[in-house]
Amino acid sequence: MTLTDLGGGEPPVTLSEVKSWCRIERDDEDATLTLLMRAASESVEAALDLALFRRSFRLVLNHTPDCGRIALAKGPVVSVTRVSAYDTAGAETVFDAQTTIRIEPGGMALQFDPTVLAAGGITMEFEAGPAPSEVSAEIKRAILAVIATFYEARSLLRSERGRTYQGTASSMAGLLQGQRRVRLL
């Protein structure tokens, strides 16, 4: 299984929120802050196993599970936009995504119609992640804290990379503890 982030969407915090949080009044570092916004959002996403801003993904499965159900590492899925199945010779069959894939409640798993199950695998494109207004205040605060740490520790990141990262990771983990998904399987 290969999941590729196709991009799109905006991080759940705005540049003005970041500048206010970091107490930055000038505009000469906006490009740096914009990069940090994306990096911090991706760090928090990795900690939570969720997509925190809406964008497109491509999922490639070498084979489909017999049960036709796939649990996703990035979600919640909002819509499935393309589904292609391949036979063992590599011939492609394109399916109607709306009728062949069911998004399970919560958007973290997909159920395939039996007609899609293919010996040669499946390629699927989907859109996942909440709208900016749907991201909790705790998650936004964690992203802002990571941005501030990255911004203030830019010179330390070069010389003391391990120590700086450990401090950021433990602080972020504390902020996100109540937001983590629990997997039972």
Side-chain angles (χ1 to χ4, degrees):
M1 176 168 33
T2 304
L3 183 66
T4 305
D5 187 335
L6 301 176
E10 295 295 322
V13 295
T14 64
L15 183 59
S16 62
E17 289 173 319
V18 170
K19 290 172 85 169
S20 175
W21 181 270
C22 295
R23 295 185 178 106
I24 299 171
E25 295 178 1
R26 57 191 197 280
D27 297 331
D28 61 330
E29 294 195 274
D30 285 2
T32 299
L33 293 172
T34 301
L35 289 173
L36 292 177
M37 287 166 50
R38 194 146 194 110
S41 296
E42 289 172 0
S43 294
V44 173
E45 277 188 349
L48 293 175
D49 242 2
L50 292 171
L52 294 180
F53 53 101
R54 191 159 295 164
R55 59 197 190 279
S56 297
F57 293 90
R58 178 179 297 122
L59 178 66
V60 177
L61 302 167
N62 294 333
H63 66 282
T64 54
D66 293 334
C67 65
R69 182 181 186 274
I70 296 175
L72 299 168
K74 291 287 184 185
V77 173
V78 177
S79 65
V80 178
T81 56
R82 181 173 168 78
V83 178
S84 297
Y86 301 89
D87 64 18
T88 54
E92 177 183 25
T93 303
V94 178
F95 289 88
D96 176 21
Q98 304 305 314
T99 60
T100 56
I101 302 289
R102 183 177 64 83
I103 302 170
E104 291 188 2
M108 295 306 296
L110 301 173
Q111 184 69 46
F112 291 89
D113 183 284
T115 59
V116 179
L117 302 179
I122 292 177
T123 298
M124 175 178 50
E125 292 183 8
F126 61 93
E127 190 174 85
S133 62
E134 298 171 334
V135 177
S136 73
E138 293 87 5
I139 290 174
K140 285 185 177 188
R141 193 168 51 244
I143 292 168
L144 290 167
V146 172
I147 292 168
T149 301
F150 286 169
Y151 179 76
E152 292 297 325
R154 288 176 292 171
S155 62
L156 293 175
L157 289 173
R158 284 187 220 108
S159 60
E160 300 178 38
R161 187 176 305 241
R163 195 166 80 189
T164 302
Y165 177 76
Q166 288 173 350
T168 302
S170 63
S171 298
M172 183 175 59
L175 288 168
L176 298 173
Q177 190 60 34
Q179 301 291 319
R180 295 199 65 173
R181 284 191 307 145
V182 177
R183 292 187 182 167
L184 300 176
L185 298 175

